[in-house]
Amino acid sequence: MRRRKIAYGIMMGTCLLLFVLAWAVVRHWSHAAAIAMSVVALAIPPFAAIVANWNIDRRD
């Protein structure tokens, strides 16, 4: 259970970091890169949810 929580936290932290960097820093140089970073960040939460709920019946 602990490993899944850590993996979920890392994935969601990465998602948040990508959003913040994209629109606070990268957009000044390239709007296309900022949009691409946002699209990647949007794809992370579903995978994070899958990781967090993987083998939920089993106890780690």
Side-chain angles (χ1 to χ4, degrees):
M1 182 73 155
R2 178 147 173 85
R3 278 188 296 188
R4 288 193 313 241
K5 284 183 180 180
I6 290 171
Y8 179 81
I10 289 171
M11 292 176 83
M12 292 307 287
T14 302
C15 177
L16 183 61
L17 182 69
L18 280 172
F19 271 124
V20 170
L21 285 177
W23 296 110
V25 179
V26 176
R27 72 176 172 96
H28 295 296
W29 289 281
S30 173
H31 288 282
I35 291 169
M37 288 173 69
S38 294
V39 169
V40 170
L42 284 172
I44 293 173
F47 292 110
I50 291 168
V51 167
N53 293 311
W54 192 264
N55 287 332
I56 199 72
D57 297 333
R58 191 185 74 172
R59 297 285 179 217
D60 287 345

